[in-house]
Short mmCIF file of all heavy atoms in Angstrom, two decimals:
data_model
loop_
_atom_site.label_atom_id
_atom_site.label_comp_id
_atom_site.label_asym_id
_atom_site.label_seq_id
_atom_site.Cartn_x
_atom_site.Cartn_y
_atom_site.Cartn_z
N HIS E 135 6.05 39.37 -69.94
CA HIS E 135 7.19 40.23 -69.69
C HIS E 135 7.83 39.89 -68.35
O HIS E 135 7.15 39.51 -67.40
CB HIS E 135 6.75 41.70 -69.62
CG HIS E 135 6.31 42.26 -70.94
ND1 HIS E 135 5.00 42.28 -71.33
CD2 HIS E 135 7.03 42.82 -71.94
CE1 HIS E 135 4.91 42.83 -72.52
NE2 HIS E 135 6.11 43.17 -72.92
N LEU E 136 9.12 40.05 -68.28
CA LEU E 136 9.88 39.93 -67.04
C LEU E 136 9.39 38.75 -66.21
O LEU E 136 9.15 38.86 -65.02
CB LEU E 136 9.80 41.23 -66.23
CG LEU E 136 11.04 41.61 -65.43
CD1 LEU E 136 11.03 43.10 -65.11
CD2 LEU E 136 11.15 40.84 -64.15
N SER E 137 9.22 37.61 -66.88
CA SER E 137 8.79 36.39 -66.20
C SER E 137 10.02 35.56 -65.87
O SER E 137 10.91 35.39 -66.70
CB SER E 137 7.82 35.60 -67.09
OG SER E 137 8.34 35.48 -68.41
N ILE E 138 10.06 35.04 -64.64
CA ILE E 138 11.29 34.41 -64.16
C ILE E 138 10.96 33.30 -63.19
O ILE E 138 9.96 33.36 -62.46
CB ILE E 138 12.21 35.47 -63.49
CG1 ILE E 138 13.54 34.86 -63.04
CG2 ILE E 138 11.51 36.15 -62.32
CD1 ILE E 138 14.54 35.91 -62.56
N VAL E 139 11.80 32.27 -63.18
CA VAL E 139 11.73 31.25 -62.16
C VAL E 139 13.06 31.24 -61.42
O VAL E 139 14.13 31.30 -62.04
CB VAL E 139 11.43 29.84 -62.74
CG1 VAL E 139 12.46 29.41 -63.78
CG2 VAL E 139 11.33 28.81 -61.63
N VAL E 140 12.99 31.22 -60.10
CA VAL E 140 14.19 31.11 -59.26
C VAL E 140 14.34 29.64 -58.90
O VAL E 140 13.58 29.11 -58.08
CB VAL E 140 14.07 31.96 -57.98
CG1 VAL E 140 15.34 31.87 -57.15
CG2 VAL E 140 13.76 33.41 -58.33
N LEU E 141 15.29 28.97 -59.55
CA LEU E 141 15.50 27.56 -59.26
C LEU E 141 16.18 27.41 -57.89
O LEU E 141 16.96 28.29 -57.48
CB LEU E 141 16.36 26.93 -60.35
CG LEU E 141 15.72 26.86 -61.73
CD1 LEU E 141 16.68 26.22 -62.72
CD2 LEU E 141 14.41 26.08 -61.69
N PRO E 142 15.92 26.30 -57.19
CA PRO E 142 16.54 26.11 -55.87
C PRO E 142 18.07 26.20 -55.97
O PRO E 142 18.68 25.51 -56.80
CB PRO E 142 16.10 24.70 -55.47
CG PRO E 142 14.82 24.49 -56.21
CD PRO E 142 14.99 25.20 -57.52
N PHE E 143 18.66 27.07 -55.16
CA PHE E 143 20.11 27.21 -55.17
C PHE E 143 20.74 25.89 -54.68
O PHE E 143 20.15 25.16 -53.88
CB PHE E 143 20.54 28.37 -54.28
CG PHE E 143 20.42 29.72 -54.94
CD1 PHE E 143 19.41 29.99 -55.85
CD2 PHE E 143 21.33 30.73 -54.66
CE1 PHE E 143 19.30 31.22 -56.46
CE2 PHE E 143 21.24 31.97 -55.26
CZ PHE E 143 20.22 32.22 -56.17
N THR E 144 21.94 25.62 -55.15
CA THR E 144 22.66 24.40 -54.81
C THR E 144 23.61 24.64 -53.64
O THR E 144 24.35 25.63 -53.63
CB THR E 144 23.47 23.90 -56.02
OG1 THR E 144 22.58 23.71 -57.12
CG2 THR E 144 24.19 22.60 -55.69
N SER E 145 23.57 23.75 -52.67
CA SER E 145 24.51 23.83 -51.54
C SER E 145 25.72 22.97 -51.87
O SER E 145 25.60 21.78 -52.17
CB SER E 145 23.85 23.32 -50.26
OG SER E 145 24.80 23.25 -49.21
N LEU E 146 26.89 23.58 -51.82
CA LEU E 146 28.13 22.87 -52.15
C LEU E 146 28.83 22.33 -50.91
O LEU E 146 29.96 21.85 -50.99
CB LEU E 146 29.08 23.81 -52.92
CG LEU E 146 28.52 24.36 -54.23
CD1 LEU E 146 29.56 25.25 -54.92
CD2 LEU E 146 28.09 23.24 -55.16
N GLY E 147 28.18 22.41 -49.76
CA GLY E 147 28.74 21.87 -48.52
C GLY E 147 27.82 20.81 -47.95
O GLY E 147 26.69 20.63 -48.39
N GLY E 148 28.29 20.10 -46.94
CA GLY E 148 27.48 19.04 -46.36
C GLY E 148 26.79 19.44 -45.08
O GLY E 148 26.22 18.58 -44.40
N ASP E 149 26.83 20.73 -44.74
CA ASP E 149 26.25 21.20 -43.48
C ASP E 149 24.74 21.33 -43.62
O ASP E 149 24.25 22.10 -44.44
CB ASP E 149 26.88 22.55 -43.12
CG ASP E 149 26.39 23.08 -41.78
OD1 ASP E 149 25.56 22.41 -41.14
OD2 ASP E 149 26.83 24.18 -41.40
#
Side-chain angles (χ1 to χ4, degrees):
H135 291 94
L136 214 159
S137 48
I138 184 172
V139 58
V140 182
L141 294 179
F143 279 34
T144 303
S145 173
L146 301 181
D149 183 359

